[in-house]
Amino acid sequence: MTVAQDERKVNDDSERLVEELEDENDIAFVHKKRRRMLPIYACSIVSLSALLILIAVGIAYGVLSWAIPVNQEQLIWDWDNINVKDRYFPEDFLWGTATSAHQVEGYNDNNQWHAFEQGLLWKPESGLPIGDGTVSGKACDHWNLYKKDIQLMKKDLGTNTYRFSIEWSKIEYRKGQYNMSVVQHYHDVIDELLANNISPMVTIHHFTDPLWFVDLGAWEKSENVEHFVSFAKFAFNEYSSKVKLWCTINEPNVYSLAGYTGGGFPPRKNDIPLAMEVMKNFGDGHVAAYRALKQLPNGAESKIGIVHQLGNHDAYNKDSLMDRVITKFANDLSPGIFLSFFSTGIMKFHIPFVVNFNHENKDAINSNDFIGLNYYTRQVEQFTFDSPTLANQYRDRSRNYTDMDWEIYPEGIYRMIKLIDHYNPNIPIIITENGIADAKDRFVKMFYERYLYAVSRAIKEGYNVKGFVAWSLLDNFEWSGGFEPRFGLYHVNYETQERTLKEGSKAFIQAISEWKATHLKA
């Protein structure tokens, strides 16, 4: 190797060494830079994850907001600028009052409510079965005083309809055995009504079951539906030549929920799937009874329907996802479950991990000649972890509440009329109950003025409302509330059985008088 070649080799080796050192420095720099960047990478990954979670929540919220709409419009009317006398009711409008046998007649000792009151069946673990410690006993003694009470309807109120129930446990006191003196008593009541130009509206089942029916499992078992249908046919054959308005079942949703989801009704069970089964059997019971009665003599010309107690459920905060979720479940259960059943033939209710109920009976479609609406109030639903149901019924104390702590919300009856029509377009609707528990008569006048205005407003907008029946003619035995709540147009002294018209009830009388002046001119 020449000197020149040797110098070139040294230079080449030096250049390679420099390049290697530069490469090592670059790698060290890169590793150092990567170590410095690791927290930044980690933050970026966390930020990306959070962003993805937020996007997912946003999508879920959007989907749920679409799937869980605010229930209709949450109306609040400006009553200071409304003329409650600006109302209209058609010429054939039904004006009435309502009672039920167990609550007013007295002397009921063969049904589950009597047993419950006495603590003989389903005695609660603590406390009395009835809130005020009373029992129904002779109640308002309407069994003996019905003629005097009918005169109150005719002479004081001016009503043309009376909705009352016939007591199954008095008529069919044992399975297949009928007390004909009781059967005759109801003939006498009906005849007295007709003699005073008051149309009877008969309710076949209003919360009470004969003890023999209870022993068979009552409404918990589908095979028992036939016993109710049999009784309905018996009653219809007896009275349908005189009675043209029939309510098959009163408030099956209340019976089911108050009796089977921890409420105050017998049997005081807490079993949501069983509550759904009871609802199903009530629904099928109505359908079977309706189809059977329409085939009997007088069936074609009789008007037969079911009666629902329906209330609005509104979200406390319409922007709160959880308030909206619990409000959806509440509305799906009531009013949704039965209104949907009679329009689609499908009864369903679903709460994840709690209940998944589905039932189909296509005979339910068009199985009502009218829908009876019992309307009292709304509930404002607020999500909370402090309740087993995860729901709290919020109360705005700036508004007026009844003795039952129910909000006076006339806008709700207007909304519910529209909702019924949404499910069953143009079906006749009869307000079969509407009234107020107000022992001190603070709000009775305002209550009837505003609720009647709301009903009239719906009629003016074209909804097919056929009548308004006040709950109740008399103060009475208010189920688990005992005698303390006073819903009557008449105050009742339970010791003397004296009836006294409440001052506020005159607002109801005035509405009827104005209607008569408009339509019944000589």
Side-chain angles (χ1 to χ4, degrees):
M1 180 182 295
T2 64
V3 174
Q5 289 176 325
D6 186 59
E7 289 178 353
R8 282 198 299 273
K9 182 177 183 303
V10 171
N11 289 337
D12 290 342
D13 290 342
S14 297
E15 287 177 0
R16 281 197 300 274
L17 180 61
V18 170
E19 288 176 356
E20 289 174 359
L21 289 173
E22 287 177 347
D23 289 342
E24 288 177 1
N25 287 336
D26 287 345
I27 292 170
F29 173 77
V30 168
H31 283 304
K32 185 176 181 180
K33 185 175 181 180
R34 284 176 178 172
R35 285 194 298 271
R36 290 176 179 174
M37 289 296 290
L38 281 175
I40 299 175
Y41 290 153
C43 289
S44 297
I45 292 170
V46 170
S47 298
L48 180 60
S49 299
L51 179 60
L52 291 173
I53 290 171
L54 287 173
I55 291 172
V57 170
I59 293 172
Y61 188 90
V63 170
L64 286 171
S65 296
W66 169 79
I68 309 171
V70 178
N71 179 239
Q72 301 178 289
E73 67 275 35
Q74 297 189 33
L75 292 180
I76 299 293
W77 289 338
D78 181 7
W79 290 101
D80 291 336
N81 292 303
I82 289 177
N83 177 11
V84 293
K85 301 294 181 65
D86 179 16
R87 55 198 179 200
Y88 166 80
F89 301 97
E91 185 175 354
D92 60 350
F93 201 69
L94 300 174
W95 293 97
T97 57
T99 63
S100 83
H102 190 83
Q103 294 178 268
V104 299
E105 282 183 352
Y107 320 107
N108 287 292
D109 58 4
N110 190 38
N111 64 40
Q112 93 279 27
W113 267 95
H114 170 77
F116 181 66
E117 295 160 24
Q118 303 292 331
L120 300 177
L121 296 174
W122 315 298
K123 188 174 182 179
E125 294 180 359
S126 62
L128 295 168
I130 308 304
D132 61 4
T134 59
V135 296
S136 56
K138 65 179 180 180
C140 305
D141 200 17
H142 186 62
W143 183 266
N144 294 309
L145 300 178
Y146 71 89
K147 289 185 179 180
K148 291 183 179 180
D149 291 335
I150 289 172
Q151 289 306 304
L152 298 180
M153 303 173 206
K154 178 182 179 180
K155 295 180 178 179
D156 286 1
L157 304 179
T159 51
N160 57 23
T161 304
Y162 178 45
R163 177 180 173 234
F164 64 100
S165 68
I166 53 176
E167 179 57 36
W168 185 3
S169 68
K170 282 180 176 175
I171 296 175
E172 191 177 5
Y173 62 98
R174 283 195 289 269
K175 180 183 173 183
Q177 298 183 40
Y178 302 92
N179 187 327
M180 297 313 295
S181 66
V182 174
V183 172
Q184 183 57 48
H185 172 83
Y186 289 118
H187 273 294
D188 295 341
V189 173
I190 292 166
D191 290 343
E192 187 72 13
L193 288 166
L194 294 173
N196 287 278
N197 297 314
I198 299 173
S199 298
M201 181 189 302
V202 169
T203 302
I204 300 172
H205 184 279
H206 196 127
F207 288 164
T208 55
D209 301 314
L211 289 177
W212 62 261
F213 185 72
V214 174
D215 290 341
L216 295 175
W219 295 95
E220 296 177 13
K221 297 183 178 180
S222 59
E223 59 264 32
N224 291 335
V225 167
E226 65 178 337
H227 299 304
F228 167 71
V229 176
S230 175
F231 173 68
K233 290 165 66 176
F234 175 88
F236 194 83
N237 282 326
E238 276 291 333
Y239 305 121
S240 63
S241 63
K242 307 171 185 177
V243 177
K244 300 305 175 187
L245 287 169
W246 292 82
C247 305
T248 55
I249 299 167
N250 179 79
E251 299 182 357
N253 54 338
V254 173
Y255 181 112
S256 305
L257 297 176
Y260 291 89
T261 61
F265 278 28
R268 275 195 180 172
K269 295 182 180 180
N270 197 352
D271 188 331
I272 293 177
L274 186 56
M276 297 300 102
E277 182 69 15
V278 171
M279 281 196 187
K280 181 207 78 171
N281 293 333
F282 269 123
D284 288 347
H286 162 77
V287 173
Y290 176 87
R291 300 298 179 194
L293 301 188
K294 296 302 279 188
Q295 297 301 314
L296 294 177
N298 306 312
E301 58 267 33
S302 295
K303 302 300 181 185
I304 304 169
I306 196 169
V307 171
H308 299 300
Q309 201 266 70
L310 304 178
N312 322 91
H313 296 272
D314 290 333
Y316 167 71
N317 179 0
K318 65 183 180 63
D319 295 323
S320 163
L321 176 61
M322 297 313 298
D323 285 3
R324 298 272 286 277
V325 168
I326 61 172
T327 300
K328 180 188 187 302
F329 288 143
N331 279 312
D332 283 352
L333 186 58
S334 180
I337 194 167
F338 275 112
L339 292 183
S340 176
F341 180 58
F342 291 116
S343 63
T344 66
I346 297 173
M347 184 183 291
K348 61 182 179 180
F349 181 64
H350 176 66
I351 297 178
F353 312 112
V354 178
V355 61
N356 184 20
F357 178 77
N358 290 278
H359 172 63
E360 182 174 330
N361 182 351
K362 290 300 183 180
D363 284 342
I365 301 172
N366 297 323
S367 65
N368 287 285
D369 299 322
F370 67 90
I371 293 289
L373 169 60
N374 293 356
Y375 185 89
Y376 289 96
T377 189
R378 70 165 173 170
Q379 291 183 333
V380 179
E381 306 289 353
Q382 184 179 32
F383 178 79
T384 177
F385 285 112
D386 296 332
S387 168
T389 64
L390 301 180
N392 171 59
Q393 275 70 56
Y394 172 79
R395 285 166 173 80
D396 179 355
R397 293 304 176 183
S398 68
R399 297 178 63 79
N400 295 317
Y401 287 78
T402 74
D403 292 349
M404 301 289 285
D405 208 20
W406 294 348
E407 181 185 356
I408 298 175
Y409 182 62
E411 298 93 330
I413 198 168
Y414 166 85
R415 289 171 56 189
M416 198 54 63
I417 290 167
K418 293 175 65 177
L419 187 64
I420 292 172
D421 186 82
H422 170 76
Y423 279 96
N424 298 270
N426 204 41
I427 192 168
I429 299 168
I430 300 175
I431 310 303
T432 39
E433 289 182 25
N434 180 236
I436 177 174
D438 183 10
K440 295 181 179 179
D441 200 1
R442 298 168 299 161
F443 304 124
V444 175
K445 177 178 183 292
M446 178 262 284
F447 182 95
Y448 280 108
E449 286 180 342
R450 292 187 178 182
Y451 275 88
L452 286 169
Y453 168 84
V455 173
S456 170
R457 186 161 172 168
I459 292 171
K460 287 181 178 180
E461 293 180 12
Y463 294 97
N464 194 13
V465 184
K466 295 295 189 182
F468 182 97
V469 178
W471 183 270
S472 172
L473 174 67
L474 306 169
D475 289 342
N476 56 66
F477 182 77
E478 189 54 41
W479 305 113
S480 57
F483 287 107
E484 184 176 355
R486 290 185 173 269
F487 278 90
L489 294 170
Y490 287 86
H491 175 275
V492 176
N493 182 322
Y494 294 113
E495 293 184 1
T496 66
Q497 293 300 335
E498 181 182 3
R499 282 83 155 121
T500 305
L501 183 70
K502 296 175 184 176
E503 186 66 26
S505 301
K506 293 178 180 178
F508 179 64
I509 297 172
Q510 184 178 3
I512 298 172
S513 298
E514 292 172 357
W515 169 80
K516 287 182 177 179
T518 300
H519 295 294
L520 304 182
K521 294 179 180 178

